[in-house]
Amino acid sequence: MTYGEISGALRAIEDIKTGDIDRYNRKLIAARADVRDLASHVLADPLVHRTYFQVSLALLESVEEQLDFIETNEDLLDDWWHVDQLPQFLKKPLDFASTYERAMRYIRSEKPFTRRWGYVIFLTGLQKERENVAAILSLMKDDDAYYVQMAEAWLLCDLAVFHSEDVLAFMRTSTLQYNILGKAIQKIQDSFRIGEADKVAFRALREIVKKNG
């Protein structure tokens, strides 16, 4: 289908919301629609960005093919929400070893939203498994880009939901900059999935991480 056909159909939906886009995209997926024509338009027209990635990824056979597609299209990841929608579209479960290998490359990229993807990629269920925690934490590093710092903080918070003691131990001795750890502590305070006792323990780390960083 052409960009004109797809963008026209989406713009015809009154008060369009993400759920409306998803319903339209499911029809395209069922029809196995070719949406390659959108690629050259998605940065200029955000309305079709989700459709391009959601439909394209759904029509691929394996998660490795999906991850390859995202790498091929990394220049089209130019905003935080471009990255943060991707875990929804991936087939589960992901293999941790190959995902970790990719993430190591992503976080060294010159492109900030590729680096963000290097952390957000673990928010696909991989953060729930205890055996993955140490390896994921080893990827945390200082970064001057705000949206990368926020991704690291988000991932630390999500790890704390499932493995609070591991994250507490990591943060007690971490020399990561306070911009990352302080944001992680704030996200933990705001989380409805983390108990009050854990929130108190993380709040107590504020002065420690300020000094260490």
Side-chain angles (χ1 to χ4, degrees), residues 65-130:
E65 288 179 295
Q66 290 180 314
L67 293 173
D68 287 343
F69 177 87
I70 292 169
E71 285 189 25
T72 300
N73 288 273
E74 67 175 335
D75 287 340
L76 302 183
L77 304 177
D78 198 39
D79 206 338
W80 64 267
W81 65 271
H82 293 172
V83 174
D84 295 359
Q85 65 184 344
L86 296 176
Q88 305 168 45
F89 306 151
L90 294 178
K91 300 178 188 298
K92 314 295 188 305
L94 278 69
D95 175 71
F96 181 76
S98 62
T99 302
Y100 179 79
E101 195 174 305
R102 287 178 188 265
M104 282 196 296
R105 286 191 282 108
Y106 299 159
I107 66 172
R108 294 195 296 266
S109 171
E110 294 180 358
K111 301 169 184 175
F113 290 104
T114 298
R115 298 201 301 277
R116 183 178 175 94
W117 178 228
Y119 297 105
V120 172
I121 196 172
F122 292 106
L123 297 169
T124 49
L126 295 176
Q127 81 282 25
K128 298 178 182 179
E129 302 301 327
R130 176 75 187 280

Side-chain angles (χ1 to χ4, degrees), residues 2-207:
T2 66
Y3 163 69
E5 291 172 316
I6 292 172
S7 63
L10 289 170
R11 283 181 167 77
I13 302 171
E14 246 181 86
D15 300 319
I16 191 167
K17 297 179 175 60
T18 301
D20 299 314
I21 298 174
D22 287 347
R23 278 187 287 277
Y24 176 70
N25 291 347
R26 285 194 289 272
K27 293 177 183 177
L28 294 179
I29 293 165
R32 302 194 65 81
D34 183 345
V35 297
R36 284 176 293 180
D37 189 49
L38 299 184
S40 58
H41 300 278
V42 295
L43 293 182
D45 185 355
L47 185 61
V48 299
H49 194 286
R50 187 175 180 89
T51 296
Y52 176 67
F53 277 91
Q54 187 173 13
V55 175
S56 298
L57 291 170
L59 295 178
L60 295 172
E61 295 299 321
S62 71
V63 70
E64 291 301 319
E65 288 179 295
Q66 290 180 314
L67 293 173
D68 287 343
F69 177 87
I70 292 169
E71 285 189 25
T72 300
N73 288 273
E74 67 175 335
D75 287 340
L76 302 183
L77 304 177
D78 198 39
D79 206 338
W80 64 267
W81 65 271
H82 293 172
V83 174
D84 295 359
Q85 65 184 344
L86 296 176
Q88 305 168 45
F89 306 151
L90 294 178
K91 300 178 188 298
K92 314 295 188 305
L94 278 69
D95 175 71
F96 181 76
S98 62
T99 302
Y100 179 79
E101 195 174 305
R102 287 178 188 265
M104 282 196 296
R105 286 191 282 108
Y106 299 159
I107 66 172
R108 294 195 296 266
S109 171
E110 294 180 358
K111 301 169 184 175
F113 290 104
T114 298
R115 298 201 301 277
R116 183 178 175 94
W117 178 228
Y119 297 105
V120 172
I121 196 172
F122 292 106
L123 297 169
T124 49
L126 295 176
Q127 81 282 25
K128 298 178 182 179
E129 302 301 327
R130 176 75 187 280
E131 61 266 29
N132 299 340
V133 176
I136 294 173
L137 290 174
S138 74
L139 296 177
M140 298 289 167
K141 66 186 186 74
D142 288 340
D143 197 298
D144 292 333
Y146 172 79
Y147 286 113
V148 183
Q149 293 174 4
M150 292 300 288
E152 293 187 71
W154 180 18
L155 180 54
L156 283 168
C157 175
D158 220 80
L159 284 167
V161 171
F162 304 100
H163 314 288
S164 60
E165 288 301 320
D166 297 276
V167 179
L168 275 165
F170 168 79
M171 290 176 65
R172 279 195 193 98
T173 58
S174 175
T175 58
L176 278 177
Q177 61 199 80
Y178 184 70
N179 277 355
I180 296 170
L181 296 181
K183 287 182 177 74
I185 292 171
Q186 188 55 56
K187 284 181 176 293
I188 287 165
Q189 303 311 306
D190 295 340
S191 175
F192 294 111
R193 299 185 295 161
I194 294 177
E196 188 56 34
D198 284 331
K199 289 182 178 183
V200 169
F202 279 103
R203 281 201 299 272
L205 287 181
R206 279 197 185 277
E207 292 308 313

